[in-house]
Amino acid sequence: MSATERFDKAAPTWDLVDRRVLLARGVTEAIIARASLSNDQEVLDFGCGTGLVTLALGPVVGSITGADTSTGMLETIAEKARSQGIAVPLRHLGADGSADLGGPYDLIVSSMTLHHVADVPALFRRFAQHLRPGGRVALADLDAEDGTFHEDATGVHHNGFSRDQVKDWLEVAGFAKIEVETATTTSKEAKVYSVFLATATLS
Ligand SMILES: C[S@@+](CC[C@H](N)C(=O)[O-])C[C@H]1O[C@@H](n2cnc3c(N)ncnc32)[C@H](O)[C@@H]1O
């Protein structure tokens, strides 16, 4: 089964795992605390999944678009957005993730998706192309871990990230004012994994 098929299959029951909901809540709170959100901003949530972060940020920004490679995830967020009365434009990125991201946006956020992307430096350059001048990113993912976070490593390209590596990649992609801080932690099988939030401004 491909990574995209695995996410398609997991989508309908994704939110039933408390750990995922708590992790997304921790990331959302960190984004709200550190990304200077306002109700006139156009935001993209890259790898939106079922919308745990997207739908929580919706009421505090001007508009938020969800983008994902998984049809199942997009169907699930669409249904949740409908039932919560929140308008969320959606973009299907195709199985290889290469379709247009739309925009330009004021802010691009992402939670727990970077480790599923093989070429993260190229993704950061792509983010830069889809932001307005002075636009920002707020990107959350695992700190470097020993490979135990995923039981099934299909579609996992990175066992978390070194914060210095993320800073370098953002700088090379044209970002400044780069800060990487702990957003939250998540526990699995009695093991604690830390999650960073990288914020940066397009220079
Ligand atoms: C671990 S889930 C996180 C979902 C959501 N951001 C959250 O925090 O609950 C990762 C998501 O990234 C999506 N994804 C995987 N590879 C991707 C890619 N190359 N481009 C965009 N989305 C991708 C998956 O379909 C999945 O919805």
Side-chain angles (χ1 to χ4, degrees):
M1 197 188 301
S2 73
T4 307
E5 286 166 345
R6 201 166 59 83
F7 281 117
D8 287 345
K9 197 164 166 237
T13 54
W14 186 265
D15 294 359
L16 298 180
V17 178
D18 288 346
R19 171 178 51 77
R20 294 178 179 147
V21 176
L22 290 173
L23 172 48
R25 192 174 300 155
V27 168
T28 302
E29 284 168 4
I31 292 173
I32 289 171
R34 298 189 205 149
S36 313
L37 303 181
S38 62
N39 61 10
D40 58 356
Q41 287 173 330
E42 288 181 62
V43 181
L44 172 71
D45 184 3
F46 178 83
C48 60
T50 63
L52 290 172
V53 172
T54 334
L55 295 168
L57 292 180
V60 289
V61 297
S63 70
I64 187 159
T65 297
D68 205 287
T69 46
S70 158
T71 311
M73 289 290 185
L74 290 170
E75 283 170 1
T76 303
I77 184 177
E79 179 53 36
K80 286 169 66 181
R82 243 191 320 273
S83 69
Q84 293 177 29
I86 299 175
V88 180
L90 297 173
R91 300 190 81 89
H92 185 246
L93 298 177
D96 65 353
S98 66
D100 184 23
L101 295 178
Y105 301 99
D106 301 296
L107 172 69
I108 297 176
V109 302
S110 186
S111 174
M112 297 297 285
T113 299
L114 299 184
H115 63 262
H116 292 293
V117 175
D119 192 345
V120 177
L123 180 67
F124 288 176
R125 292 195 295 277
R126 199 162 153 223
F127 284 168
Q129 289 160 3
H130 289 270
L131 282 168
R132 296 202 165 91
R136 306 196 76 212
V137 289
L139 311 170
D141 211 299
L142 292 165
D143 282 298
E145 48 100 10
D146 58 5
T148 52
F149 185 79
H150 296 91
E151 298 100 64
D152 179 353
T154 314
V156 176
H157 294 280
H158 309 270
N159 292 332
F161 297 93
S162 119
R163 295 184 183 194
D164 285 342
Q165 180 73 88
V166 171
K167 279 183 195 167
D168 285 352
W169 287 338
L170 284 167
E171 204 174 339
V172 169
F175 289 91
K177 297 182 191 160
I178 302 164
E179 288 176 16
V180 188
E181 292 174 33
T182 301
T184 188
T185 59
T186 184
S187 302
K188 221 172 167 180
E189 311 283 336
K191 210 163 169 175
V192 179
Y193 300 84
S194 73
V195 173
F196 65 83
L197 181 72
T199 54
T201 305
L202 193 59
S203 53

